[in-house]
Amino acid sequence: MQTGPRQLVTPFRPIPLDVPEGMAPNEFFNSAENLSDLVHNNGLLSNPENLLLYRKALGHSGTFDCSIIYNTASEILNPLGRPVRRTQVPEAVRRVWNRMNAVIIGYMLEHWPDPATALVLAGEASLDATWPLTAPGVPSIRMLHNHFMVFPMADLRAAEPADPDNPNLTDGGQNSLFQAHMRDVYRAFFAAALDLEILRPARRERSALALSGYPHGLPCWEITGGAAALTDVRFWREYDALLMGFLDFYRSFFSQVSSRNADLLPDLHFPGAVERVLLADNAFMGTAKMIRQRCIKEPAYANAIRWEPAFKQLIYRGDDGTLYVTISQNSIGNAITELLGVVVKRVPDADAYARLEPALMEHLYRVRERLAAADLGDILAAGW
């Protein structure tokens, strides 16, 4: 079978939603009113920490598909002021969120135990709050949320090949920028900045999915201890450390692109590693020069630069059953599936969705019961 990304067709039931006249859809989706609609029409469970578990009405998978959003819509009316990454979430909220993650991922692994029959993944796709609300690629809900999905491998094998030049697969060229010019220093920085015990660097021949060949050129880390490690607070600290390292690399690079020989940023997580590894590396600084000169000469290219970091970070199960973590910049698309070479084409088809819905909802009902039993929230009676 040919290795390469796949395009999977997923049906959904069209949602009757009236966007006020004069508003762009993604402007309305960020409003407190729309988030209230999300709670009442698709909410599964909520808790005092403002974490909302909901089913994805416009989802990616008809097998298992749900999200948790840090619903600050009523507490922070300015969409540009809301947390958009885990490092901005209060520690008490993050502790609860980590436990919710462990319960849901554990459920998926329990009910789909064979990696040959199901692709299991969970993670976050986040965009920075400095982006204009109407910019291309900005998500429909400007708040941090993560996504839990299961895809039958039979469906992926039968799916049509995806266009390898799809911008959501290439991250608008920034993934290739990092890999083509800064591959070695990227990995050297992570090695110098992070002190990891549970996460272990993985070889590509193990971490890449045989069907798609993805993740493409990205560092991956094996979760030693498997699913049991997800209940260990040390794992989530290391998961956050990967994000912090990525943020430091990305922000430091584009700081040098913006201003030649810029000083260290004042709020880095790993300033010592940035100074010792990045700012002393000729490939890192030379690539920043190349991009800076292009920005000066090409206004369209400069306008497309994402000066603040956006990312996709996910946990997924490899072909051999091992759990891995990876992270990538998110320049265009905001679907974490594309990090694994799965492009989802969502099509309106109420009848097809109705055939999938009973089994899908049964799984989601069971998950929320487990969460409620662990004192992770109260069950919502959404109007389905």
Side-chain angles (χ1 to χ4, degrees):
M1 181 174 292
Q2 181 181 359
T3 297
R6 297 298 199 271
Q7 178 170 283
L8 190 67
V9 175
T10 300
F12 68 89
R13 180 189 297 119
I15 303 173
L17 185 63
D18 294 325
V19 177
E21 184 177 354
M23 289 189 78
N26 57 348
E27 290 174 324
F28 174 69
F29 293 155
N30 278 281
S31 69
E33 170 59 27
N34 178 59
L35 267 293
S36 175
D37 179 81
L38 178 69
V39 172
H40 293 104
N41 286 338
N42 290 291
L44 290 161
L45 175 139
S46 65
N47 57 38
E49 288 76 24
N50 289 323
L51 296 169
L52 169 70
L53 174 72
Y54 64 100
R55 68 131 167 206
K56 297 288 286 189
L58 301 181
H60 291 77
S61 170
T63 300
F64 187 92
D65 195 319
C66 63
S67 282
I68 299 173
I69 190 169
Y70 184 36
N71 183 9
T72 56
S74 297
E75 285 72 26
I76 305 173
L77 297 182
N78 174 12
L80 301 181
R82 295 171 186 155
V84 291
R85 53 178 81 110
R86 284 174 56 89
T87 52
Q88 297 170 331
V89 175
E91 178 64 29
V93 176
R94 205 154 64 238
R95 282 198 302 269
V96 172
W97 204 337
N98 294 343
R99 290 176 57 212
M100 296 175 76
N101 272 270
V103 169
I104 299 174
I105 296 171
Y107 179 92
M108 293 191 295
L109 295 173
E110 175 186 329
H111 285 268
W112 291 275
D114 185 1
T117 62
L119 174 60
V120 172
L121 62 137
E124 293 123 37
S126 175
L127 299 179
D128 191 85
T130 60
W131 289 16
L133 282 173
T134 54
V138 172
S140 59
I141 300 176
R142 182 58 75 83
M143 280 177 283
L144 179 62
H145 61 290
N146 58 2
H147 208 151
F148 305 87
M149 287 173 276
V150 175
F151 293 99
M153 289 299 296
D155 292 350
L156 294 175
R157 295 187 189 101
E160 294 291 326
D163 178 3
D165 294 326
N166 182 315
N168 289 340
L169 289 170
T170 63
D171 274 334
Q174 292 196 37
N175 181 51
S176 59
L177 168 69
F178 279 33
Q179 294 303 314
H181 301 285
M182 297 180 289
R183 179 186 180 92
D184 292 338
V185 69
Y186 190 54
R187 286 160 173 75
F189 172 72
F190 274 107
L194 307 182
D195 182 17
L196 305 176
E197 297 178 8
I198 293 177
L199 292 175
R200 182 170 59 196
R203 300 191 307 273
R204 184 187 182 280
E205 58 267 25
R206 287 196 62 201
S207 58
L209 300 176
L211 181 65
S212 68
Y214 283 65
H216 234 5
L218 295 173
C220 296
W221 291 264
E222 176 184 342
I223 303 175
T224 59
L230 303 183
T231 61
D232 189 330
V233 67
R234 293 176 302 168
F235 164 76
W236 293 105
R237 288 174 181 162
E238 294 185 12
Y239 184 81
D240 287 342
L242 286 183
L243 172 57
M244 294 175 190
F246 168 79
L247 295 174
D248 278 6
F249 186 96
Y250 191 105
R251 294 179 64 234
S252 295
F253 176 73
F254 282 101
S255 173
Q256 296 300 323
V257 172
S258 175
S259 303
R260 181 185 178 276
N261 197 29
D263 289 336
L264 283 174
L265 294 168
D267 53 352
L268 294 169
H269 300 287
F270 306 106
V274 170
E275 183 174 30
R276 186 172 67 255
V277 178
L278 299 184
L279 301 191
D281 187 89
N282 290 334
F284 183 85
M285 301 300 281
T287 305
K289 175 186 177 182
M290 177 182 69
I291 301 302
R292 183 169 61 253
Q293 291 179 333
R294 187 174 176 185
C295 285
I296 292 171
K297 296 177 181 178
E298 301 178 32
Y301 180 81
N303 187 58
I305 292 290
R306 302 314 189 195
W307 297 98
E308 295 295 330
F311 67 93
K312 303 172 186 175
Q313 184 175 16
L314 75 153
I315 299 167
Y316 70 98
R317 184 172 63 189
D319 293 332
D320 62 357
T322 301
L323 295 181
Y324 297 98
V325 176
T326 193
I327 189 167
S328 174
Q329 54 274 15
N330 184 25
S331 310
I332 305 283
N334 67 331
I336 61 172
T337 61
E338 289 135 8
L339 214 54
L340 297 180
V342 179
V343 177
V344 177
K345 181 181 180 181
R346 291 174 284 194
V347 297
D349 190 333
D351 292 338
Y353 182 80
R355 291 192 291 271
L356 298 171
E357 187 176 28
L360 168 65
M361 294 310 303
E362 182 61 29
H363 285 300
L364 299 186
Y365 293 146
R366 292 177 184 176
V367 160
R368 72 174 180 180
E369 288 169 1
R370 290 191 182 187
L371 293 167
D375 195 21
L376 289 169
D378 298 314
I379 290 174
L380 297 175
W384 299 320

